[in-house]
Amino acid sequence: MLYRRSGFPEVDEILLCKVTKIFPSSVFVELIEYPGRGAIVHISEVSPGRIRNLRDYVSVGRQIVCKVLRIDREKGHIDLSLRRVNSVQRREKTDEIKQELKAESLVRNIAKKISQPVDKVYRELSTPIFKEYSHLHLCFWDVAGGDVDLKKLGVPNNLAKEFTDAVVEKFKPAKITIEGEITLQ
């Protein structure tokens, strides 16, 4: 995943994590959106009720959606909870990640098409977009809907044209049909 954030997450933020180690009373995870950042999920925050074996709930290498409980910026400690994330939050986070991966796939395809390194194209595209949007896919949906012009956001002209054409083709806004009956008297 190309999408990266710096610093620390916020308390109550929902994050995608990858399990790195499992100990008898805790699970260590890597925060996927914050490269190089690790966190811990205590056994009491994995699932409600008594847990005999953590491996029944998580496994090394598995991706899980967690909620940030506490952050100690001085020590660099981040405490997470797996059990405090409801199914709606989990679904929204996974949908958000899928949409961002779709946007990144588009970046890869265009980088290949114009024979440029993916990282360079992503950086040139995302730098001006992230001033207005939190994710690429949110901007792409607005471009597909005709609400935003990439050139006006500050994307270089050659990339703006390529991405606008590709986004309009790939990100089709949902078609909504509204029906009703009107009676005039």
Side-chain angles (χ1 to χ4, degrees):
M1 194 167 161
L2 296 170
Y3 180 72
R4 300 283 187 239
R5 296 167 73 178
S6 60
F8 284 90
E10 298 296 321
V11 174
D12 292 336
E13 187 174 340
I14 306 295
L15 299 172
L16 183 66
C17 309
K18 183 176 181 179
V19 177
T20 55
K21 294 178 189 169
I22 300 174
F23 289 105
S25 65
S26 57
V27 177
F28 285 86
V29 298
E30 173 189 336
L31 306 181
I32 293 175
E33 296 173 60
Y34 294 87
R37 289 257 179 245
I40 187 171
V41 181
H42 188 266
I43 190 169
S44 65
E45 293 296 334
V46 172
S47 179
R50 179 148 166 71
I51 298 175
R52 293 188 186 273
N53 186 359
L54 275 174
R55 295 184 191 279
D56 293 340
Y57 297 91
V58 294
S59 57
V60 174
R62 181 175 167 206
Q63 291 185 349
I64 57 176
V65 178
C66 295
K67 183 176 189 174
V68 178
L69 296 180
R70 287 175 293 283
I71 299 173
D72 185 344
R73 293 179 193 278
E74 291 175 8
K75 294 180 181 177
H77 295 184
I78 302 171
D79 295 332
L80 303 175
S81 174
L82 181 61
R83 72 178 175 99
R84 296 186 196 195
V85 178
N86 63 39
S87 59
V88 173
Q89 291 170 319
R90 188 173 293 112
R91 193 174 329 109
E92 285 175 353
K93 187 63 179 183
T94 54
D95 288 347
E96 177 183 286
I97 296 296
K98 285 178 187 174
Q99 290 295 318
E100 194 64 17
L101 288 173
K102 180 180 175 182
E104 289 178 8
S105 171
L106 189 65
V107 171
R108 283 186 173 84
N109 292 341
I110 289 181
K112 186 177 178 182
K113 180 181 174 184
I114 63 174
S115 302
Q116 294 284 329
V118 175
D119 291 339
K120 180 181 180 233
V121 171
Y122 183 80
R123 197 171 37 257
E124 287 180 10
L125 178 71
S126 64
T127 301
I129 288 177
F130 286 162
K131 290 177 184 171
E132 300 288 326
Y133 293 90
S134 61
H135 293 80
L136 274 183
H137 73 273
L138 297 174
C139 176
F140 286 177
W141 282 112
D142 284 351
V143 169
D147 300 332
V148 171
D149 182 11
L150 289 176
K151 289 179 188 174
K152 289 182 182 174
L153 281 178
V155 176
N157 289 342
N158 60 335
L159 289 180
K161 182 177 181 347
E162 288 286 343
F163 275 100
T164 302
D165 295 343
V167 164
V168 169
E169 183 181 319
K170 280 274 192 200
F171 287 76
K172 303 236 187 270
K175 294 184 179 180
I176 300 172
T177 305
I178 300 175
E179 294 181 16
E181 230 175 85
I182 299 175
T183 307
L184 296 175
Q185 291 183 342

